[in-house]
Amino acid sequence: MEFIIFLSKLDKEILELLTKANYIVEENKVECLLNKKIKGLHNFEENKIIICTENAKRKTNYKTIKKQPKQDSFKTERAIRKALRHEATHAIQKCNNNKTVGDIEKLESKLHPTKRNALEFSISNFSGTYAKEVEAYVLEDKPKKVKNLIKKYCL
């Protein structure tokens, strides 16, 4: 899976924990082709997370490593890491009887204004609730917390 080259050590640990929690993590499936705006998605019924690496690369103007210095791939790295953490948060919610794990009012106050459009997109195009999406968008910036929550709720 190509997306692994974009992950940090901590994100690789998140991926490993998801696998231990009986999640399947796949890449660039048909769902990614059907909606080129998404970088990842969570399939609740099948315990599956899909990372849309090609969509993330296109959205961040990624070029092959030969044409682009390593430090210039940071936008793609960030997009893929956040996609994994976001979808991992939905896995945590599933492990918690389909409920959020945090105080949504507190989390909502931490939601960066630039994520509001993404939040609206997620709610209108997918089956997530407002509270679940707020939590996922906030936690995608907190890999240590995501890692610890997987351990707490899914293992």
Side-chain angles (χ1 to χ4, degrees):
M1 291 188 284
E2 181 187 14
F3 79 90
I4 293 173
I5 66 170
F6 296 103
L7 299 180
S8 68
K9 181 178 184 261
L10 188 53
D11 291 302
K12 288 176 183 173
E13 290 173 21
I14 290 170
L15 179 61
E16 186 178 313
L17 289 171
L18 287 168
T19 303
K20 283 183 183 176
N22 295 318
Y23 262 81
I24 298 165
V25 182
E26 298 181 327
E27 181 176 47
N28 297 325
K29 298 310 235 179
V30 68
E31 295 89 342
C32 302
L33 294 171
L34 294 173
N35 190 335
K36 296 193 186 270
K37 292 181 181 179
I38 63 171
K39 292 180 231 89
L41 60 114
H42 178 264
N43 181 320
F44 278 80
E45 291 80 31
E46 297 180 27
N47 280 7
K48 186 184 294 185
I49 291 174
I50 299 169
I51 302 298
C52 301
T53 306
E54 292 305 317
N55 290 356
K57 286 166 50 176
R58 185 177 52 262
K59 196 165 183 143
T60 59
N61 295 316
Y62 179 81
K63 308 286 186 271
T64 60
I65 297 296
K66 291 178 186 174
K67 297 178 184 175
Q68 173 177 322
K70 177 76 172 131
Q71 65 268 21
D72 289 343
S73 67
F74 76 93
K75 287 182 181 177
T76 307
E77 289 173 358
R78 184 177 59 205
I80 290 172
R81 291 172 184 182
K82 286 185 176 195
L84 177 66
R85 295 176 206 150
H86 183 104
E87 303 312 331
T89 300
H90 290 313
I92 293 162
Q93 293 163 346
K94 181 175 181 185
C95 294
N96 189 37
N97 295 318
N98 251 353
K99 298 178 198 158
T100 58
V101 296
D103 180 337
I104 295 307
E105 288 184 15
K106 284 182 184 175
L107 289 171
E108 195 173 29
S109 68
K110 295 178 183 181
L111 187 65
H112 195 275
T114 59
K115 291 192 179 185
R116 296 268 174 208
N117 286 340
L119 175 64
E120 293 303 321
F121 174 80
S122 293
I123 294 167
S124 64
N125 288 284
F126 302 101
S127 59
T129 65
Y130 178 80
K132 287 180 184 179
E133 289 300 326
V134 166
E135 184 168 66
Y137 278 109
V138 170
L139 291 181
E140 68 186 28
D141 294 324
K142 302 182 182 314
K144 287 181 186 172
K145 185 148 183 125
V146 170
K147 177 185 166 185
N148 291 332
L149 289 171
I150 293 170
K151 288 179 179 179
K152 181 177 179 178
Y153 289 97
C154 297
L155 297 178

